Amino acid sequence: MLIGVPRETAAGEKRVATVPEVVQKLTKLGFGVAVQSGAGEAANFADDDYRAAGAEVLPGAAEVWARADVIFKVRPPTLDEVGMMREGATLIGFVWPAQHPELMQALQARRATVLAIDCLPRQLSRAQKMDALTSMAGISGYRAVIEAANAFGRFLNGQVTAAGKIPPAKVFIAGAGVAGLAAIGTAANLGAIVRANDTRAEVADQVVSLGGEFVKVDYEEEGSGGGGYAKVMSEGFQQAQREMYAQQARDVDIIITTALIPGKPAPKLITAEMVRTMKAGSVIVDLAAEQGGNCELTVPGEPVVRHGVTIIGYTDLLSRLAKQSSTLYSNNLLRLTEELCKAKDGNVVINFDDDAIRGLTVIRAGELTWPAPPPKLPAVPARPKAAAAPVAAPKGHGHGPGEPMSARSLVTVFGIGALLFLLVGLYAPAAFLSHFTVFVLACFVGYMVVWNVTPSLHTPLMSVTNAISSIIAIGALVQVAPPLSDSVVDRPNALILGLAVFALALTAVNMFGGFAVTRRMLAMFRK
């Protein structure tokens, strides 16, 4: 089969559906690739790059549409483009079937098979590699911060200079989906104070992990919808949300809105009155401008200034990073093609037993198959029965490492020790008795010290061995140290001195080796 890549005709669209790097991978799957001349120029991919990758470069769009068995597109095709399409061909790209009924009818008339990348069941984990919506949203969120920084009148990060102190900019992001999270990470990395809100409470941890502060609406209602999107909230929640947005608008310098609900106009989050209360020089970037905008004063496609606030409603943010967005989109289509052509024989097979492919397919051989049934998600595993609580040992019966000795054990040890002292005192010489007393006390004190060591940055075993090593090192140092008197009797003999030095060397290796191992373990978790 031949894959055709026509040039995008939508105004301001600079992306291309396939890049030269992916062309090479498509040919290894057995496909031929034909690219319209100039299709990638706006994204900095020359015709010669495509030829070098193994693609055929055709002079006009009509020839691409007429010859190709499979068409890769970014934007939905126009009715004129569908008229040039080969009957029975396959179209893969953004289609938005709910918003383009006439286009769907025209594609059915051409007996086309249409895979709408925007209809991918995003809740399927295996579909993530094909999720072009996520890829494009991440780019738009990043670019939104760049556009805001460009329109803003000062630094985003705070600075203290000889010329004065510059406070950090405050950024509020409405909606913490993929685009919102990308904007949070970008703004935080640029040094701004970032706040964010979303109707889905589960994204709060993600906001915090990226360096932002989650601003909660003072109203309890769950906002998660299907497929990772938000749902339409109740009027009570919306009123509480508007009050929170009004408060943030008065305080922050930059607002980035990303709220969209599939199949519905963009919700109006920022009213004209909120804009009027914002500080002069503030910026609003509306990522939902193409669907009507989240701000009442947004003008799709251009920046405007209202009440001293710059409102950016660009609809071509992805084209402002055309090379990057084309590369990611092309990779998404490649992964989809790999699923359609598992035999690597250059033929597309539409397998409706695959939930991801079934969700994508909106028309098959002229037959409308949209909307797809909900995918079969794996069943949630049943919670295991709680294990029976371990029976507590009676008081005074043993103890584990790290636990203090029980009262009964302590009394027993003291009793045995007292009996040993009695026997030693009755039958041992007086010189031995003093050494034996020091030995017993050292054992007792060392035991209590070692077993009460709290593991910190070590494993419990390493903590205990380091504690034991410390006691051995101190004892060895006492033997190695010169006596306070010059008496020959007080000096240790060569054997004791040698053993002390040897013990000191071994414990030093053990202790420093333990710290070295710990340092390497901690280094694994550093960036």
Side-chain angles (χ1 to χ4, degrees):
M1 285 186 168
L2 179 67
I3 295 176
V5 183
R7 183 167 52 195
E8 297 296 321
T9 58
E13 183 58 71
K14 298 179 180 180
R15 289 174 291 174
V16 61
T18 293
V19 301
E21 179 184 355
V22 171
V23 168
Q24 296 176 341
K25 299 175 181 178
L26 291 172
T27 56
K28 291 180 180 179
L29 293 175
F31 293 97
V33 182
V35 181
Q36 181 183 348
S37 178
E41 284 183 356
N44 296 317
F45 296 111
D47 290 346
D48 290 341
D49 296 333
Y50 285 102
R51 291 191 183 96
E56 180 183 2
V57 178
L58 301 179
E63 192 173 357
V64 174
W65 284 94
R67 288 183 52 188
D69 302 292
V70 181
I71 293 290
F72 281 2
K73 278 277 289 166
V74 179
R75 294 272 186 167
T78 63
L79 296 179
D80 291 338
E81 288 176 322
V82 174
M84 296 185 290
M85 187 178 184
R86 177 179 177 178
E87 188 168 346
T90 299
L91 171 67
I92 301 177
F94 286 106
V95 177
W96 306 106
Q99 296 157 354
H100 300 98
E102 293 183 3
L103 173 61
M104 295 290 287
Q105 293 175 4
L107 290 167
Q108 285 182 264
R110 302 296 294 179
R111 298 184 57 80
T113 296
V114 181
L115 278 73
I117 201 72
D118 47 276
C119 292
L120 179 74
R122 303 171 75 187
Q123 61 268 44
L124 298 176
S125 59
R126 60 177 299 271
Q128 292 178 0
K129 61 184 178 181
M130 303 177 276
D131 190 359
L133 281 172
T134 294
S135 300
M136 299 301 100
I139 294 174
S140 62
Y142 170 85
R143 185 68 192 194
V145 177
I146 302 303
E147 294 293 340
N150 180 59
F152 191 50
R154 55 183 176 85
F155 298 142
L156 291 190
N157 65 319
Q159 295 185 16
V160 178
T161 70
K165 181 179 178 181
I166 303 171
K170 296 178 182 178
V171 179
F172 178 72
I173 297 171
V178 177
L181 292 174
I184 292 168
T186 304
N189 288 336
L190 289 175
I193 296 173
V194 185
R195 304 168 187 162
N197 168 260
D198 196 281
T199 58
R200 297 160 292 186
E202 64 268 19
V203 304
D205 290 339
Q206 300 176 39
V207 171
V208 174
S209 69
L210 290 171
E213 175 192 350
F214 188 79
V215 183
K216 195 174 183 299
V217 177
D218 190 16
Y219 193 97
E220 294 297 331
E221 182 176 352
E222 176 55 42
S224 296
Y229 294 97
K231 70 175 185 180
V232 179
M233 306 300 288
S234 67
E235 180 58 36
F237 181 93
Q238 293 181 32
Q239 177 61 34
Q241 187 182 54
R242 282 191 291 268
E243 293 174 0
M244 183 269 289
Y245 282 167
Q247 180 182 358
Q248 292 297 323
R250 290 190 293 269
D251 185 47
V252 301
D253 305 296
I254 296 171
I255 296 178
I256 298 175
T257 63
T258 69
L260 282 173
I261 299 173
K264 297 184 179 295
K268 299 300 181 185
L269 305 178
I270 308 299
T271 64
E273 180 59 31
M274 295 180 194
V275 175
R276 190 176 291 108
T277 62
M278 294 180 70
K279 292 175 283 190
S282 298
V283 179
I284 297 175
V285 181
D286 195 340
L287 292 184
E290 196 166 0
Q291 283 76 38
N294 296 136
C295 177
E296 285 185 347
L297 303 181
T298 296
V299 177
E302 60 181 280
V304 295
V305 178
R306 298 289 186 269
H307 310 295
V309 178
T310 301
I311 304 173
I312 299 174
Y314 292 142
T315 57
D316 62 345
L317 286 176
L318 294 170
S319 289
R320 291 168 182 261
L321 287 170
K323 188 167 187 175
Q324 182 70 79
S325 54
S326 297
T327 300
L328 294 183
Y329 182 71
S330 181
N331 284 328
N332 291 138
L333 295 192
L334 170 65
R335 302 307 172 201
L336 172 57
T337 307
E338 290 174 344
E339 294 295 318
L340 297 173
C341 182
K342 293 186 176 180
K344 298 183 180 181
D345 58 356
N347 291 308
V348 170
V349 177
I350 308 296
N351 179 16
F352 267 27
D353 292 332
D354 187 326
D355 285 338
I357 303 302
R358 176 63 187 92
L360 284 167
T361 307
V362 296
I363 299 175
R364 182 168 67 169
E367 179 186 356
L368 183 67
T369 59
W370 177 83
K376 300 174 184 177
L377 298 177
V380 179
R383 292 184 178 180
K385 293 182 179 179
V391 179
K395 291 185 178 181
H397 288 277
H399 59 281
E403 298 178 2
M405 190 180 295
S406 64
R408 181 179 296 181
S409 298
L410 197 62
V411 171
T412 303
V413 171
F414 269 106
I416 295 174
L419 181 60
L420 287 175
F421 268 107
L422 178 62
L423 294 174
V424 171
L426 291 174
Y427 301 102
F432 176 79
L433 183 60
S434 63
H435 290 293
F436 182 73
T437 304
V438 173
F439 172 75
V440 172
L441 290 176
C443 289
F444 176 73
V445 173
Y447 177 86
M448 296 300 293
V449 168
V450 169
W451 244 250
N452 283 282
V453 170
T454 301
S456 179
L457 301 180
H458 300 297
T459 63
L461 177 61
M462 192 178 297
S463 297
V464 172
T465 56
N466 276 352
I468 295 173
S469 298
S470 301
I471 295 173
I472 296 172
I474 293 172
L477 287 172
V478 170
Q479 294 297 326
V480 172
L484 296 177
S485 65
D486 294 333
S487 173
V488 177
V489 178
D490 294 334
R491 296 177 184 173
N493 58 38
L495 178 60
I496 295 177
L497 186 61
L499 289 175
V501 171
F502 183 67
L504 189 61
L506 287 182
T507 54
V509 170
N510 182 66
M511 293 172 65
F512 287 102
F515 283 110
V517 170
T518 302
R519 181 181 179 186
R520 293 188 63 180
M521 291 173 62
L522 293 176
M524 296 170 60
F525 298 96
R526 296 193 185 105
K527 291 184 178 180

